[in-house]
Amino acid sequence: MPSLDDLKKRISSVKSTQKITKAMKMVASAKLRKAQENAEKGRPFSEKMNNIILNLSNAITDKDSASKFLVGTGKTSVHLCVVITADRGLCGGFNTNICRKAKSYFENILKEGKTLKIFTVGSKGYDQLKRSYGQYIIEKINYKNFKKLTYKEAEDVAEKIIKLFNDSQFDVCAIFYNQFKNIITQIPQAQQIIPIESPAKVEEKKSESFYEFEPEEDEILNDLLPRNISTQIFKAFLENAASEQGSRMTAMDSATRNAGDLVDKLTIKYNRSRQAAITKELIEIISGAESL
């Protein structure tokens, strides 16, 4: 049984931890509003970019001469998976959920006998994947020293992906990230960006509309398709930023409440032990007095 001094030290330690988790919750709450706003503003732009590319692709008559970013290489034997996670922990299941989604995708690729290549963006994703899939990781990037990820960082990642594609290093590329829904819910996503893949509903809408383009469709696509890769990666950065703060806020709130419950239990235990010690001392005093 722990001594009174040990219990006092533990209560003090838990209270100190509680102060830290409470402060982290407040910081995450302050950052969440701006991150959520940025994520919501970024969605229409990335969706519109996809819609424009779909309209352009529908207008192309010669698919064989179209950009490989649009139609692919004609094969699906080599898959590049870009796993985008955070560089910091203490955010609940944020990083784990992305990696779980990615691992499920990896297993399907390997079961089909296809080649898997992994590109990790964020140190936490690399730390989780290197144990089981270290042999498949061909590139890793982290932004530990960056306070905020901008479009420039998205372009840097996109340039590496485009270079690998131009060097015929893969046939299909998918990115993995968390889509922010609300503070409690973040939905892991697997989005194919090469060749571009779109929902059926969007394709149906595009077939109902007719557009005339100037200059020609091929010329516009050659400029838009590489830019779209950067746009989709930047959208993933924005969604991840909001999801990370929401998940951290929830995790720190839960940790603060758990610390409070633990302090209450330890305080009760301390009071009982103290009362038992006082009672024992009284009994010893009374027994000693009676023996005289």
Side-chain angles (χ1 to χ4, degrees), residues 17-35:
T17 303
Q18 187 181 32
K19 289 179 182 178
I20 294 171
T21 57
K22 189 175 182 180
M24 290 185 69
K25 176 194 169 185
M26 293 174 68
V27 171
S29 177
K31 291 182 177 179
L32 175 62
R33 185 178 299 176
K34 184 65 176 177

Side-chain angles (χ1 to χ4, degrees), residues 5-21 255 259-260 262-263 266-267:
D5 191 45
D6 291 337
L7 287 171
K8 283 180 71 175
K9 288 180 180 178
R10 192 174 177 194
I11 290 170
S12 177
S13 175
V14 174
K15 283 183 177 179
S16 298
T17 303
Q18 187 181 32
K19 289 179 182 178
I20 294 171
T21 57
L262 184 57
V263 167
L266 288 172
T267 301

Side-chain angles (χ1 to χ4, degrees), residues 232-250:
Q232 300 307 321
I233 291 172
F234 185 54
K235 181 195 73 173
F237 283 170
L238 294 177
E239 294 285 351
N240 264 6
S243 298
E244 180 185 352
Q245 299 305 331
S247 183
R248 180 172 287 114
M249 183 179 170
T250 303

Side-chain angles (χ1 to χ4, degrees), residues 59-83:
I60 292 176
T61 54
D62 186 9
K63 297 289 185 181
D64 295 332
S65 63
S67 172
K68 292 188 182 298
F69 290 107
L70 181 66
V71 297
T73 61
K75 301 180 292 183
T76 60
S77 56
V78 183
H79 286 248
L80 176 68
C81 299
V82 184
V83 184

Side-chain angles (χ1 to χ4, degrees), residues 2 13 57 65 123 127-128 134 140-141 161 169 181-182 185 187 212 214 216 231 243 246 249 254 262 272 285:
S13 175
S57 64
S65 63
S123 57
D127 291 341
Q128 291 194 32
K140 59 178 180 177
I141 298 177
I161 294 171
Q169 294 295 311
K181 185 175 181 181
N182 53 49
T185 308
I187 306 169
E212 290 185 1
E214 182 68 31
E216 292 299 317
T231 300
S243 298
M249 183 179 170
S254 178
L262 184 57
R272 286 177 176 171
I285 291 169

